[in-house]
Amino acid sequence: LKPTGVLYPSEARLLIAPMHVPGFIQTRRNDIDADMASWDDLAHSLEDRYSLKLGSLRDAYLNEQVHYAFRQAWQGRVPESALAGEPVVLLEIDMLSVTIDQLFGWTRTVHLTSTSPQRHVDGLCGWFDVRFCGRRAPDSTDSVVMAESMSATRLGQCVELSTAPYDASTHWGQTALLLEQPLEKPTISVTLTQSHRSHHDLNFTVSSATGTTSFSISAEFRGFEELEPTEELEGDSASHESNAEGEGMP
């Protein structure tokens, strides 16, 4: 680009926040149990009819179901109520000067702060935001003055697009990573690498006191379902319905 050129987006950040989604995780466990029950029924039927014994394949099939639920990212709109703490910035880049080494292969150690001790962290929610920063052509041809002028102008002419759960929803949604075991300690180490199988896909590794887990983040859409209402909200709803009936409302 020319010295006065503009690249959009100009800046980008990758963020992650702790998540509390026991209902969604329990649904995934129920799905695994249902799949294994179907497997066992089929295995018993084949053994009775044809003397085929598939017991040696059961663990492999179970691992496949666990991998689908807990080793791959879920994409979709994550409700703000699912967040269990404040987000932290994993990566912040200048799109004009960023290198491949800055994008992939890095490791960060972060401290996740939970908003409530009662809400254990059983997932991670990731998203990005970008800034579009304009520049006007400086009057001076001096390189130092030019750089200062562009920097000052840039700071005052930026528009931000956020895909956070607490901002207006976008078609990008967020990325949800489910943990088999809740975090025992708030400090985790994360590593981002590019997939060897597809340059469009990512590998995201999380290390904590409970162990190390690698997640596959694919361009293939896997919907993160809306969470069911909490017990507190359901109780409030029932209370309102009871009051309405008492007042003779239909």
Side-chain angles (χ1 to χ4, degrees):
L1 289 178
K2 294 182 178 180
T4 56
V6 178
L7 178 66
Y8 288 145
S10 312
E11 302 167 356
R13 297 193 308 168
L14 178 64
L15 303 95
I16 196 170
M19 193 167 61
H20 178 70
V21 286
F24 189 78
I25 287 182
Q26 186 57 51
T27 300
R28 304 286 73 77
R29 295 191 186 280
N30 293 342
D31 290 343
I32 293 174
D33 290 341
D35 289 335
M36 295 312 299
S38 297
W39 168 273
D40 290 336
D41 289 343
L42 176 61
H44 292 154
S45 176
L46 291 176
E47 184 173 359
D48 291 340
R49 290 186 178 186
Y50 309 108
S51 298
L52 293 177
K53 297 183 179 181
L54 304 180
S56 60
L57 300 178
R58 191 180 192 280
D59 287 345
Y61 186 73
L62 173 59
N63 290 336
E64 182 179 321
Q65 306 313 308
V66 172
H67 184 276
Y68 180 83
F70 293 99
R71 298 292 185 274
Q72 298 188 75
W74 294 84
Q75 311 288 342
R77 194 186 75 83
V78 177
E80 180 182 359
S81 59
L83 299 184
E86 296 298 320
V88 295
V89 177
L90 294 180
L91 184 65
E92 190 167 7
I93 58 175
D94 184 325
M95 298 295 288
L96 185 61
S97 61
V98 65
T99 65
I100 191 71
D101 291 335
Q102 290 175 308
L103 287 175
F104 305 113
W106 48 263
T107 299
R108 303 279 190 275
T109 298
V110 296
H111 185 85
L112 301 176
T113 303
S114 177
T115 55
S116 173
Q118 287 73 34
R119 304 188 73 201
H120 57 266
V121 177
D122 51 22
L124 300 173
C125 177
W127 66 88
F128 68 90
D129 58 37
V130 293
R131 302 180 75 198
F132 299 82
C133 302
R135 294 177 179 176
R136 69 169 181 268
D139 297 331
S140 174
T141 58
D142 181 85
S143 60
V144 175
V145 175
M146 182 183 297
E148 292 177 349
S149 176
M150 288 192 296
S151 177
T153 303
R154 184 177 183 178
L155 290 175
Q157 297 182 353
C158 292
V159 176
E160 182 172 325
L161 169 65
S162 172
T163 63
Y166 42 76
D167 286 321
S169 61
T170 69
H171 73 280
W172 287 289
Q174 293 83 36
T175 297
L177 307 175
L178 307 183
L179 304 175
E180 285 190 82
Q181 300 296 330
L183 291 181
E184 295 179 355
K185 296 182 179 180
T187 300
I188 63 172
S189 177
V190 298
T191 301
L192 182 69
T193 58
Q194 195 171 23
S195 172
H196 294 296
R197 293 182 297 178
S198 172
H199 68 277
H200 291 293
D201 297 344
L202 304 173
N203 295 322
F204 192 82
T205 303
V206 179
S207 299
S208 67
T210 55
T212 299
T213 303
S214 291
F215 298 89
S216 173
I217 303 178
S218 172
E220 179 184 355
F221 182 85
R222 283 160 36 93
F224 185 91
E225 301 170 0
E226 295 289 343
L227 298 183
E228 294 295 329
T230 63
E231 293 182 359
E232 180 180 355
L233 292 177
E234 289 175 347
D236 289 343
S237 176
S239 176
H240 292 322
E241 291 176 0
S242 176
N243 291 338
E245 292 175 358
E247 296 170 0
M249 296 180 64

